[in-house]
């Protein structure tokens, strides 16, 4: 199979963690050995966990030497692999959706790791143009590694877009959960796994935004209890006064903002918007992306329906707990 | 990566052609070389085209020797590969969602092909229990090939279910196309590619079923013009009389049946049901599977909505032309 095939595997793996890696870019990585056998398929899953290349290197080495006991902490993992790779990944090929980083952040540079491992070739989707991390390809080339750039570039750039938005200001997405028939209400629409997945997203958001209607109808906590996560600050966009005993105020360690405006307050970078028909209509020009879940039920009890004119383009579709979801962007 | 990984690649590839291979089973196949490098990912796409194993062998050989000029016709292809494989696939591994066939049908047995090619190992999802084709694994084992059976068995059995239903009587599915908001009408809901895809399905159906409401509202042709295919016979389930100038009667080389009953007439094997809310409610206990497309639009012009209580389970989700679709079965 060709470079596009392996990179598309990495791309699909990465999309599973879209919006979960804030403030880091979501990245996917495939490693094949010198003969072309796939050794690893991995992604960066969350800030504080290994970068995709490091995670993939660990997975590949574990496959080749199941007796290796890897440390959990990424810095220790990086050092451990540097010492114990035993040239097992010599002449391997790395397929990465984003140029390997060149900088010492929370972990040492991935480009250095790939050089240490003696890779033969690195196939890159998007180039990293951020000041801090760019230059990884240069490091690889200087070490004599063959580098292919821009494979599936458009697709990899789309994957990377939220990260660049965080860098340049903020990234916001509207999360919507509908039944198969398009209905919704404050009943349970998606399976538990899908709700945990959303709570994991809330955990890495710094702001969650709802309208007054959702507050009054659902009286939600908007916390991240299902993933044991921290609760983001909350913004209620409403013209009316908000009852002080609303559940949203009972969540600890979070600020609740109330305003009669749809503009996101400055300073927040990763913003999740939740709501129904009216709020979707109000926010459809203000958010960067749309994350739409479709449960597996048609129901006569579905009380509300979306009423808005909005054309979207499907960027990725996945499933969680038997529930399908899609990332979309607006077609202008 | 392990056997499940490669077989899941084959499984996903095969699902793309679900309901398009009638009367043949839809099958996916991955070939890796003796070192584990992926050489091919292929599926059986349509009756009259090569079986998955033959198609994958062709793809793998073409990768290893791009100068080979393969004949198109499957029997000639089988013979050609038998003569010109040059041991390039010696010690390869085949991952197939269904046990390779043992019988001389329109093409010679795939099990013989795999033996000829000198594969080392064959990983099988579902065993073939049909009288004609079973015994492929036995042929492989007798030739000294290592055979693993039952990997991802449940998933491969689900993929195979329509084929077994055809064998045992009939397979029917309800096709529904909705906007993202669940609305539908006789306007265009899905992109052109998705409609071509449905016309390809119609081309291999022997019966297409609608209710009187669809006939009166949409006055459809229910042909396969977008895929230049043949038009299946049509059944209109209605209590009322059908106007003789309805478009459905203008399509050549097809029979149109009209009946005041929801039972499928005997003799038809591959049955596609199309309709909206009322017909979905009427047919939800009678069809075997549900194929649901979701376009990418929310629209204030969407005139109709589904009103039915129905719990489904997602079996596979894919996309065509930027439009997502899912195969579902009813949860009882």
């Amino acid at each position: 199979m060709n470079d596009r095939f392996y990179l598309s595997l990495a791309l699909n793996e990465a999309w599973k963690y879209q919006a979960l890696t804030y403030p880091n870019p979501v990245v996917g990585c495939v490693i094949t050995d010198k003969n072309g056998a796939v050794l690893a398929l991995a992604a960066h899953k969350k800030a504080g966990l290994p970068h995709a290349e490091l995670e993939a290197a660990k997975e590949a080495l574990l496959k080749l030497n199941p007796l290796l006991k890897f440390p959990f902490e990424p810095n220790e993992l990086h050092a451990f692999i540097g010492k114990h790779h035993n040239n097992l990944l010599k002449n391997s090929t790395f397929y990465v959706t984003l140029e390997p980083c060149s900088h010492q952040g929370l972990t040492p540079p991935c480009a250095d790791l790939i050089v240490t491992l003696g890779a033969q070739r690195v196939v890159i989707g998007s180039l990293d143009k951020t000041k801090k991390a760019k230059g990884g390809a240069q490091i690889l080339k200087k070490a004599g590694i063959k580098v292919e750039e821009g494979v599936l570039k458009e697709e990899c750039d789309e994957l990377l877009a939220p990260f660049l938005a965080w860098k340049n200001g903020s990234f916001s997405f509207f999360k919507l959960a509908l039944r198969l028939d398009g209905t919704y209400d404050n009943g349970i629409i998606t399976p538990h796994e899908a709700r945990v997945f959303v709570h994991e997203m809330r955990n890495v958001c710094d702001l969650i935004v709802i309208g007054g209607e959702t507050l009054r109808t659902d009286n939600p906590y908007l916390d991240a209890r299902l993933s044991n996560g921290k609760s983001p600050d909350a913004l209620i966009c409403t013209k009316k006064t908000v009852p002080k005993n609303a559940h949203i105020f009972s969540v600890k360690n979070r600020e609740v903002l109330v305003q009669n405006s749809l503009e996101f307050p400055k300073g927040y970078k990763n913003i999740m918007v939740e709501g129904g028909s009216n709020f979707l209509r109000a926010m459809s020009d203000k958010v960067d992306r749309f994350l739409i879940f479709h449960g597996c039920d048609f129901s006569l009890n579905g009380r509300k329906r979306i009423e808005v004119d909005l054309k979207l383009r499907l960027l990725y579709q996945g499933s969680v707990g038997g529930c399908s979801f899609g990332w979309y962007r607006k077609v202008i």
Side-chain angles (χ1 to χ4, degrees), chain A:
Chain A
M1 307 302 280
N2 59 21
D3 289 350
R4 290 171 64 92
F5 172 76
Y6 293 109
L7 200 57
S8 71
L9 291 180
L11 193 62
N12 277 326
E13 187 65 16
W15 265 108
K16 295 179 187 171
Y17 303 95
Q18 184 63 279
L20 292 169
T21 59
Y22 174 78
N24 293 346
V26 64
V27 178
C29 178
V30 161
I31 304 176
T32 59
D33 73 11
K34 63 174 194 274
N35 298 312
V38 182
L39 296 177
L41 167 61
H44 180 50
K45 296 184 176 69
K46 195 177 173 178
L49 293 181
H51 286 187
E53 299 91 328
L54 182 61
E55 182 67 21
K58 171 186 154 183
E59 199 183 290
L61 289 170
L62 192 63
K63 186 176 163 62
L64 297 170
N65 183 356
L67 296 177
L68 280 170
K69 300 278 178 222
F70 294 93
F72 180 77
E73 198 278 322
N75 274 302
E76 292 172 22
L77 179 62
H78 191 113
F80 180 90
I81 287 179
K83 274 184 205 160
H84 298 93
H85 64 84
N86 213 2
N87 286 323
L88 287 171
L89 298 183
K90 196 155 179 69
N91 293 326
S92 60
T93 297
F94 279 65
Y95 299 85
V96 277
T97 58
L98 174 65
E99 183 180 359
C101 67
S102 66
H103 78 304
Q104 173 70 45
L106 291 176
T107 45
C110 288
D112 290 357
L113 177 76
I114 295 173
V115 170
T116 302
L117 294 172
Q120 177 181 219
R121 207 161 74 92
V122 177
V123 176
I124 295 171
S126 305
L127 286 179
D128 194 334
K129 290 172 183 162
T130 59
K131 269 190 198 167
K132 262 198 206 166
K134 71 177 180 184
Q138 215 43 44
I139 294 175
L140 300 171
K141 287 175 193 168
K142 274 189 190 163
I145 295 172
K146 198 173 168 192
V147 176
E148 319 272 354
E149 295 165 5
V151 177
L152 294 179
K153 181 181 183 308
E154 201 179 318
E155 293 85 344
C156 290
D157 284 352
E158 185 61 62
L159 173 75
L160 190 64
F163 170 70
L164 295 180
W166 292 325
K167 283 276 168 194
N168 295 325
S170 69
F171 173 73
S172 59
F173 63 102
F174 197 106
K175 182 233 117 185
L176 188 65
L178 303 174
R179 295 197 181 81
L180 270 180
D181 53 21
T183 64
Y184 69 99
D185 47 45
N186 54 6
I188 286 177
I189 293 167
T190 55
H192 181 73
E193 293 87 335
R195 283 175 287 132
V196 172
F197 185 62
V198 169
H199 280 223
E200 283 167 356
M201 287 183 181
R202 286 181 179 173
N203 173 45
V204 295
C205 280
D206 46 18
L207 186 69
I208 187 163
V209 183
I210 59 166
E213 191 180 330
T214 296
L215 184 96
R216 287 185 295 274
T217 322
D218 297 359
N219 191 14
Y221 290 92
L222 295 179
D223 57 10
R225 63 192 178 280
L226 295 180
S227 69
N228 295 315
K230 69 169 184 50
S231 302
D233 285 356
L235 167 64
I236 308 163
C237 299
T238 182
K239 291 175 186 170
K240 301 185 185 171
T241 50
V242 174
K244 284 184 181 164
N245 60 350
H247 288 153
I248 202 167
F249 294 109
S250 71
V251 179
K252 287 178 185 165
N253 302 319
R254 80 117 62 95
E255 203 175 332
V256 180
L257 311 167
V258 181
Q259 66 180 35
N260 176 10
S261 144
L262 296 172
E263 301 305 315
F264 301 131
K266 294 234 161 118
Y268 289 106
K269 289 191 159 293
N270 192 25
I271 302 168
M272 183 167 175
V273 183
E274 296 197 26
S277 185
N278 290 332
F279 210 50
L280 176 64
R281 194 180 316 112
M283 300 300 284
S284 66
D285 281 329
K286 300 194 183 298
V287 294
D288 298 307
R289 296 289 184 275
F290 301 82
L291 173 62
I292 303 175
F293 291 82
H294 273 104
C296 285
D297 295 358
F298 294 90
S299 171
L300 289 173
N301 299 323
R303 289 202 302 271
K304 300 185 199 177
R305 298 172 181 282
I306 301 293
E307 293 187 3
V308 53
D309 265 317
L310 182 59
K311 284 189 193 307
L312 302 180
R313 184 159 67 83
L314 181 64
L315 306 174
Y316 169 76
Q317 70 172 167
S319 69
V320 53
C323 169
S324 72
F325 67 90
W327 279 99
Y328 296 85
R329 66 185 297 166
K330 189 170 177 177
V331 176
I332 301 163

